């Protein structure tokens, strides 16, 4: 027995060792010795309590067990925390693949996959107090920066707080934040998940017969309040079946003391029961609609494709009824005893789709996304792991759930960029991961879109995926007529917000009792202000970006780091009070609509207006019920929403969509405009779309007007091939970060030089990105265009990793942070 760093090593006694994944960005998976008394309990997928470093405890996941003795001394596992594995071998295999393909660590995948309450460590962690809200105006500068970071990340390690404040002595700031109830500290290794219990009220068995109950009521002579309480209980029991204490007290207006009195008399019983935090509907399956002839042909074609290929692309125009095909396929998988995962790109979409699916599958379906609290996530995790929940609807994160018998994955709106995780790692694309994940189960994947991504359509054209077309709208309704409005002809000064043609079309829609959607891909009031005297533009002190004016807060906001600033009255550069408001965001459009259409009901749908778990659903239901006439919004209004009475869609600034410095700009612009156009005229009659633009001759606008995806694909794929962009290459974007501009520039030059030794002309850059500084960190980028050669993907990535490690091994560049983004958007 030897001692090291206060930890006992007992090598002679160990016969088995476990590979443990820790929720940390560690380059390797660490090995720990298994005590004899834990041999039968330690299974792959279970959590193990281990000590990492000198004295920090963590709950890691057992990846595998081995009898091969490591060549180095190992610490012992302290305890196994689970009686049964939290996940299966398929999830462990998925974690490993994600870490290898997306150039991250298995610990980062674990941190993203597991609900927070499963991840235990004794490290000092600040937890954000959700009740604190997001108004931090009363905080000092240092407190404000930490509070903003907590609002975004929900929890911060002590080391992260030190990095944010660029200081080692941060305890005074933390203490003040705790005193002001902005956060609290969590340090002990303990299970934070608690089973929710609720008091249920029952009638004592002595009064279970009608005669006994009648005798009790007839002989009642006093305590009228208790009598009212008893009668309320009997009514609830008859109508609801089971009676909870809160429901009973609410209905009867009685007190806990009066209920206790009836319990002491032996009339009622009160017992605690474990309850679900998420209420579910009764389990039922009722798929009672008929497909159109065209839909039935497509469904048969999808089934046929699945006999030959595991992945099928369903290219169906907007409003063609793709969801009905999904429901039929879900029913087939469910009947076969398999689980189904239905992925959507945005939480905003889940509310409307879940109501449609619940109508057919009742309580057999569950919804999973990031708005759920940690306790709710654990309950869903366990129900999916045991197979109790068969159908899961969710956004990107639902892909990491512990499915037991997965039979089908549906990736709706598969083209959407929201499927790509940005920060933090793992930076995975849920569509591509779904295809790998399905192979681990032998499951099928259906990709659905009216505007498929070029990569997916290319794979279908190469016969890698099956391809099925659904080229007519449900009910035979025509695709909307698209009119392009040349805003150069109506603009007098600056950009036109709502053209006369659009105003006239809106009034016509209102006269016909129809609804309108307006799309503008900028939130806020004004994207930026400029001093008319000297040209000064207010910028964020932490980032190299202009600030956006938000009317609701009357402050200037940075959309990148979340900082807010008071609205400027006079120019700090020249003292002038004359500000020009450049361009327009959704807030300003909403204000203009309230002036132009004062009698109509107007609402806004963007990140600022739909905060909270139910905010999306509430707004969508109001629009569905025609209690809103005009919905103005950002990309949230584009994606797959289905409204019966929308006859007109307005795209207010097409030039802004087409002017991004990005090789995907044309593809994104076509998809956004075609998708938002698809919200018009889905029922009853053909809809109308007005697109406002200055560059009306842009080829993408002409193709959107014709609803011609095939021509757009041929146009864009030729450009991609000529310039060696995806799907002909694989993009890996390396972003280097540091607080010192000179150091990050030198590091980028050094790394690019190292990479060119092996990758030659595949290396592009380095160069500063459009936004060269974020959160006080200067940025440099290196782009790698890697050939898609069979078997070479991991070789290229290993070369990249090795050169990154070589660069940061130099003392000058040790603090440079390098982020690898594989298949960068």
């Amino acid at each position: 027995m030897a001692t090291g760093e206060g930890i006992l090593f007992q090598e002679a006694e160990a016969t088995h060792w476990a590979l443990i994944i820790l929720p940390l960005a560690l380059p390797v998976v660490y090995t720990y010795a298994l005590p004899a008394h834990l041999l039968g309990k330690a299974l792959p997928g279970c959590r193990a309590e281990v000590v990492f470093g000198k004295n920090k405890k963590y709950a890691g996941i057992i990846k595998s067990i081995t009898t091969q003795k490591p060549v180095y001394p190992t610490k012992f596992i302290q305890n196994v925390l689970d009686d049964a594995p939290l996940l299966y071998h398929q999830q462990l295999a998925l974690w490993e693949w994600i870490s290898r393909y997306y150039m991250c660590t298995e610990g980062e995948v674990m941190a993203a996959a597991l609900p927070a309450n499963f991840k235990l460590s004794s490290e000092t962690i600040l937890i954000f107090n959700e009740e604190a809200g997001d108004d931090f105006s009363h905080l000092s500068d240092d407190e404000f920066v930490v509070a903003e970071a907590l609002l975004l990340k929900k929890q911060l390690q002590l080391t992260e707080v030190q990095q944010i404040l660029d200081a080692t002595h941060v305890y005074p700031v933390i203490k003040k934040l705790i005193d002001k109830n902005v956060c609290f500290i969590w340090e002990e290794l303990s299970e934070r998940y608690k089973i929710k219990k609720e008091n249920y009220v029952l009638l004592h068995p002595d009064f279970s017969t009608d005669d006994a109950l009648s005798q009790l009521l007839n002989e009642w002579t006093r305590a009228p309040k208790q009598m009212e309480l008893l009668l309320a209980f009997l009514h609830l029991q008859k109508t609801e079946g089971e009676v909870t204490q809160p429901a009973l007290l609410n209905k009867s207006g009685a007190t806990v003391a009066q209920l206790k009195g009836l319990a002491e008399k032996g009339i009622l019983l009160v017992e605690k029961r474990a309850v679900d935090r998420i209420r579910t509907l009764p389990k039922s399956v009722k798929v009672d609609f008929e497909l159109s002839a065209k839909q039935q042909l497509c469904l048969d074609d999808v089934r046929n494709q699945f006999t030959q290929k595991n992945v099928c692309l369903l290219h169906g125009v907007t409003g063609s009824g793709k969801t009905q095909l999904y429901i039929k396929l879900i029913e087939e998988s469910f009947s076969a005893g398999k689980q189904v995962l239905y992925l959507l790109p945005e939480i905003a979409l889940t509310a409307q789709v879940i109501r449609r699916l619940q109508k057919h599958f009742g309580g057999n379906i569950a919804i999973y996304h990031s708005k759920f609290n940690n306790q709710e996530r654990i309950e869903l995790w366990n129900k999916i792991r045991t197979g109790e929940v068969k159908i899961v609807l969710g956004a990107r994160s639902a892909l990491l759930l512990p499915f037991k018998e997965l039979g089908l994955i549906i990736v709706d709106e598969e083209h959407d960029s929201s499927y790509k995780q940005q920060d933090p790692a793992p930076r995975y694309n849920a569509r591509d991961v779904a295809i790998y994940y399905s192979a681990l189960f032998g499951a099928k994947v259906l990709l659905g879109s009216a505007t498929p991504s070029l990569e997916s359509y290319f794979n279908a054209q190469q016969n890698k995926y099956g391809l099925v077309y659904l080229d007519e709208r449900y009910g035979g309704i025509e695709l909307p007529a698209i009119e392009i409005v040349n805003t150069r002809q109506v603009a007098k000064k600056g950009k036109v917000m709502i053209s006369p043609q659009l105003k006239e079309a809106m009034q016509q829609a209102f006269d016909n009792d129809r609804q309108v959607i307006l799309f503008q891909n900028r939130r806020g009031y004004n994207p930026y202000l400029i001093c008319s005297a000297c040209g000064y533009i207010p910028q964020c002190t932490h980032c190299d970006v202009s600030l956006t004016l938000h009317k609701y807060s009357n402050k200037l906001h940075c959309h990148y780091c979340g900082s807010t600033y008071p609205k400027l009255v006079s120019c700090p550069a020249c003292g002038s009070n004359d500000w020009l408001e450049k361009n327009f965001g959704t807030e300003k459009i909403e204000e203009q609509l309230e002036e132009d259409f004062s009698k109509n009901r107007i609402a806004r749908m963007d990140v600022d207006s739909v905060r909270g778990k139910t905010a999306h659903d509430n707004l969508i239901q109001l629009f569905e019920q025609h209690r809103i006439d005009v919905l103005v919004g950002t990309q949230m209004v584009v994606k797959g929403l289905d409204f019966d009475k929308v006859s007109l869609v307005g795209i207010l600034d097409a030039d802004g969509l087409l002017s991004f410095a990005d090789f995907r700009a044309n593809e994104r612009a076509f998809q956004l405009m075609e998708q938002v156009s698809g919200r018009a005229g889905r029922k009853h009659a053909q809809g109308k779309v007005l697109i406002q633009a200055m560059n009306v001759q842009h080829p993408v606008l002409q193709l959107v007007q014709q609803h011609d995806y095939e021509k757009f694909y041929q146009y864009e794929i030729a450009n991609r091939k000529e310039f060696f962009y995806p799907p002909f290459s694989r993009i890996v974007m390396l972003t280097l970060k540091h607080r010192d501009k000179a150091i990050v520039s030198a590091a980028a030059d050094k790394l690019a030089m190292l990479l060119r030794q092996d990758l030659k002309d595949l290396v592009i850059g380095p160069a500063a990105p459009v936004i060269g500084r974020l959160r006080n960190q200067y940025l440099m980028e290196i782009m790698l265009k890697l050939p898609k050669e069979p078997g070479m993907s991991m070789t290229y990535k290993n070369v990249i990793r090795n050169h990154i490690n070589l660069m940061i091994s130099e003392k000058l560049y040790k603090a440079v942070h390098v982020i690898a983004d594989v298949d960068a958007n």
Side-chain angles (χ1 to χ4, degrees):
M1 186 178 293
T3 304
E5 297 182 347
I7 303 297
L8 294 180
F9 300 104
Q10 300 169 315
E11 290 301 317
E13 299 174 22
T15 58
H16 291 72
W17 290 263
L19 272 67
I20 304 290
I21 304 170
L22 298 171
L24 305 169
L26 301 171
V28 295
V29 176
Y30 281 76
T31 302
Y32 285 80
L34 259 175
H37 71 280
L38 292 178
L39 280 177
K41 196 177 179 185
L43 300 172
C46 287
R47 288 176 302 164
E49 181 183 334
V50 298
V51 175
F52 182 74
K54 289 189 178 181
N55 55 6
K56 296 293 183 185
K57 285 187 177 181
Y58 289 92
I61 291 286
I62 299 174
K63 182 180 179 181
S64 61
I65 308 291
T66 180
T67 57
Q68 185 174 347
K69 183 178 180 179
V71 295
Y72 49 85
T74 55
K75 298 173 184 175
F76 266 77
I77 288 175
Q78 306 289 299
N79 195 14
V80 175
L81 302 175
D82 303 301
D83 294 327
L86 291 183
L87 40 116
Y88 301 104
H89 68 89
Q90 289 95 337
Q91 285 83 46
L92 291 170
L94 179 69
W95 289 10
E96 182 177 355
W97 181 84
I98 289 174
S99 70
R100 290 170 61 238
Y101 184 86
Y102 290 102
M103 298 181 68
C104 60
T105 67
E106 288 182 72
E108 288 172 312
V109 183
M110 173 188 170
L114 289 186
N117 286 5
F118 279 148
K119 294 172 286 187
L120 313 176
S121 82
S122 62
E123 200 159 2
T124 300
I125 293 178
L126 296 186
I127 307 291
F128 180 63
N129 181 7
E130 297 287 353
E131 296 178 1
D134 58 0
D135 182 9
F136 305 133
S137 56
H138 62 294
L139 303 179
S140 70
D141 289 349
D142 283 349
E143 293 164 14
F144 182 92
V145 173
V146 177
E148 283 284 327
L150 276 167
L151 178 65
L152 292 171
K153 293 189 70 176
K154 304 307 179 192
Q155 62 182 51
L156 291 173
Q157 295 178 1
L158 182 61
T159 52
E160 291 176 307
V161 178
Q162 290 170 336
Q163 288 174 358
I164 290 168
L165 298 179
D166 194 21
T168 54
H169 191 55
V170 296
Y171 291 102
V173 175
I174 292 173
K175 184 178 184 304
K176 287 175 183 175
L177 287 172
I178 294 168
D179 292 342
K180 293 174 183 178
N181 291 321
V182 174
C183 64
F184 54 92
I185 279 185
W186 169 63
E187 282 193 347
E188 69 184 289
L189 186 65
S190 60
E191 192 70 74
R192 288 183 287 166
Y193 173 67
K194 304 293 181 187
I195 295 173
K196 184 179 179 181
K197 293 191 175 182
E198 201 165 277
N199 284 339
Y200 277 77
V201 183
L202 300 89
L203 189 63
H204 195 282
D206 290 350
F207 305 102
S208 58
T209 65
D210 290 343
D211 290 341
L213 184 58
S214 297
Q215 183 179 351
L216 173 67
L217 296 174
N218 291 332
E219 294 177 358
W220 199 286
T221 56
R222 50 186 173 178
K225 287 291 184 183
Q226 289 186 354
M227 168 63 92
E228 289 176 17
L229 178 59
L230 180 59
L231 291 174
F233 165 80
L234 294 171
H235 180 263
L236 277 176
Q237 188 184 45
K238 187 173 182 179
T239 56
E240 304 291 334
E242 294 188 322
V243 182
T244 64
Q245 181 175 311
L248 176 57
L249 297 181
N250 183 55
K251 179 174 178 62
S252 64
T255 64
V256 175
Q258 289 162 348
L259 176 59
K260 188 179 178 183
L262 284 178
E264 288 173 348
K265 291 178 179 178
I267 298 171
L268 294 179
L269 299 173
V270 180
E271 66 176 36
K272 278 193 181 295
R273 293 184 191 171
V275 296
D276 290 339
R277 286 177 169 84
I278 302 168
R279 302 294 184 187
T280 57
L281 299 173
K283 292 188 176 183
S284 63
V285 178
K286 187 182 180 184
V287 181
D288 52 0
F289 59 84
E290 294 294 325
L291 298 176
S292 68
K294 187 73 176 179
Q295 284 177 316
Q296 188 60 52
L297 283 173
C298 286
L299 179 61
D300 293 339
D301 201 358
V302 169
R303 290 170 178 150
N304 181 51
Q305 293 290 342
F306 276 156
T307 63
Q308 305 165 52
K309 295 181 174 66
N310 291 327
V311 183
C312 179
L313 173 62
L314 174 59
H315 181 195
V317 298
T318 56
S320 57
K322 293 186 289 294
T323 306
Q324 290 175 305
L325 268 66
Y326 300 158
I327 291 169
K328 290 287 188 181
L329 290 167
I330 290 170
E331 181 189 26
E332 291 173 12
S333 284
F334 180 83
S335 299
K338 297 290 186 180
Q339 290 174 301
V340 178
L341 173 59
Y342 187 143
L343 286 175
L344 289 164
E346 292 273 7
I347 295 170
L349 282 175
T350 57
Q352 193 178 52
V353 175
I354 192 69
R355 289 197 296 275
R356 293 181 68 176
L357 295 183
Q358 281 174 338
K359 196 162 75 174
H360 301 294
F361 300 105
N364 290 302
I365 186 164
I367 188 169
Y368 186 92
H369 55 61
S370 58
K371 294 285 185 181
F372 282 127
N373 66 42
N374 291 323
Q375 306 280 24
E376 291 169 334
R377 288 192 205 186
I378 285 183
E379 288 187 2
L380 277 173
W381 178 282
N382 288 329
K383 288 183 178 182
I384 293 161
R385 178 179 59 83
T386 59
E388 181 183 344
V389 167
K390 292 292 186 186
I391 308 166
V392 178
L393 173 71
R396 182 179 61 227
S397 58
L399 188 64
L400 301 174
L401 290 167
F403 289 94
K404 187 178 183 182
E405 296 177 309
L406 193 58
L408 173 68
I409 302 177
I410 295 167
V411 186
D412 198 13
E413 310 295 348
E414 65 84 27
H415 65 275
D416 199 288
S417 60
S418 297
Y419 280 125
K420 182 73 163 70
Q421 165 78 7
Q422 300 300 327
D423 281 310
R427 295 171 181 84
Y428 64 98
N429 187 312
R431 176 197 64 211
D432 300 337
V433 174
I435 292 170
Y436 178 82
Y437 195 27
S438 68
L440 298 174
F441 291 91
K444 305 296 182 184
V445 179
L446 182 64
L447 309 175
S449 178
T451 53
S453 65
L454 259 70
E455 286 88 342
S456 293
Y457 201 71
F458 179 79
N459 284 332
Q461 294 290 331
Q462 298 297 308
N463 210 31
K464 188 176 178 181
Y465 301 164
L467 179 60
V468 175
Y469 291 99
L470 184 53
D471 55 8
E472 70 175 31
R473 281 189 148 188
Y474 187 74
I477 294 169
E478 293 183 51
L479 288 166
I482 296 179
E483 178 184 332
I484 298 175
V485 178
N486 189 341
T487 52
R488 286 185 190 275
Q489 297 173 355
V490 293
K492 294 180 181 177
K493 184 180 179 183
K495 287 206 171 192
V496 174
M497 200 182 318
I498 302 174
S499 63
Q501 296 94 319
L502 181 54
K503 284 184 184 176
E504 183 182 343
M506 289 175 69
Q507 190 57 60
Q508 198 170 35
F510 299 146
D511 292 343
N512 293 327
D513 195 32
R514 289 289 180 259
Q515 293 170 291
V516 176
I517 289 177
L518 298 182
F519 169 63
Q520 168 67 344
N521 209 25
R522 288 189 183 94
R523 61 191 177 98
Y525 189 75
N526 287 109
Y528 66 95
L529 302 175
I530 183 169
C531 174
S532 62
C534 70
Y536 172 82
I537 298 173
Q539 288 204 320
C540 177
T541 58
H542 309 296
C543 312
D544 287 343
V545 291
S546 57
L547 297 171
T548 299
L549 175 63
H550 282 243
K551 189 183 176 187
Y552 81 94
S553 65
N554 200 33
K555 290 182 179 179
L556 296 169
H557 290 238
C558 175
H559 286 175
Y560 288 85
C561 71
S563 299
T564 58
Y565 303 82
K567 183 181 177 182
L568 294 176
V569 177
S570 57
C571 175
C574 71
S576 170
N577 295 329
D578 189 13
W579 293 96
L580 298 176
E581 297 176 348
K582 288 291 182 179
N583 223 314
F584 52 90
T586 49
E587 280 189 6
K588 191 168 185 179
I589 298 163
E590 184 183 28
E591 180 183 84
Q592 185 66 49
L593 289 170
E594 286 168 351
E595 287 182 21
D596 295 343
F597 301 98
S598 56
K599 294 181 181 177
N600 296 99
R601 299 158 296 182
I602 296 153
R604 177 167 52 90
M605 189 178 190
D606 56 28
V607 172
D608 303 308
S609 64
V610 286
R611 297 177 184 272
K613 191 188 294 186
T614 61
H616 290 103
D617 194 19
N618 294 341
L619 185 56
I620 288 167
Q621 287 195 60
L622 288 173
F623 198 61
E624 283 178 331
Q625 296 159 8
H626 202 168
R627 292 161 67 185
I628 296 170
D629 298 312
V630 188
L631 184 61
V632 55
T634 55
Q635 290 188 39
M636 287 184 178
V637 302
V638 174
K639 303 172 181 181
L641 296 171
D642 190 0
F643 303 113
D644 291 356
K645 288 201 165 188
V646 173
S647 65
L648 175 68
V649 165
I651 298 172
L652 303 185
D653 182 20
D655 301 300
L657 300 175
L658 292 161
S659 59
F660 283 102
D662 179 6
F663 76 91
R664 296 188 194 274
N666 283 345
E667 180 184 10
R668 294 245 172 86
F670 181 89
Q671 289 166 343
L672 279 168
M673 287 189 278
E674 184 64 24
Q675 288 285 340
V676 76
S677 299
R679 301 317 108 206
R682 295 173 74 90
K683 303 279 172 68
H684 311 303
Q686 184 185 25
K688 185 176 182 179
V689 180
L690 267 67
I691 300 177
Q692 296 182 168
M694 288 190 174
N695 184 13
V696 295
Q697 298 304 316
H698 197 292
V700 171
L701 285 178
Q702 310 305 314
L703 295 169
V704 169
Q705 191 171 25
Q706 298 159 23
H707 299 289
D708 197 333
Y709 175 84
E710 187 62 38
K711 273 189 184 175
F712 168 76
Y713 171 78
Q714 297 300 336
Y715 165 79
E716 189 65 15
I717 204 74
N719 292 332
R720 298 283 183 91
K721 187 173 184 179
E722 181 180 356
F723 296 103
F724 195 51
Y725 277 113
F728 301 99
S729 65
R730 176 169 286 115
I731 298 289
V732 177
M733 186 69 76
L734 301 179
T735 303
L736 291 81
K737 296 182 176 184
H738 196 272
R739 297 179 73 86
D740 188 304
K741 188 175 183 179
I743 289 176
V744 77
S745 296
D749 289 337
K750 175 77 174 180
L751 181 56
M753 182 196 72
L754 292 170
L755 288 167
R756 284 194 174 95
Q757 293 174 6
D758 291 306
L759 302 179
K760 310 293 190 248
D761 295 338
L762 302 179
V763 183
I764 300 170
V770 176
I771 299 167
R773 184 172 60 107
L774 285 176
R775 299 181 180 90
N776 288 325
Q777 297 271 324
Y778 288 94
L779 312 179
M780 291 293 287
E781 290 181 342
I782 300 171
M783 179 188 281
L784 301 159
K785 289 183 181 178
L786 305 179
K788 288 190 170 180
E789 299 173 9
M792 287 299 292
S793 175
M794 289 311 301
T795 302
Y796 285 130
K797 288 169 188 172
N798 287 334
V799 168
I800 295 167
R801 279 195 193 94
N802 291 338
H803 285 312
I804 290 172
N805 291 335
L806 189 61
M807 185 270 292
I808 62 176
S809 68
E810 294 189 22
K811 187 175 180 181
L812 180 62
Y813 307 132
K814 193 172 183 180
V816 174
H817 185 40
V818 183
I819 293 171
D821 188 1
V822 179
D823 297 337
N825 270 341

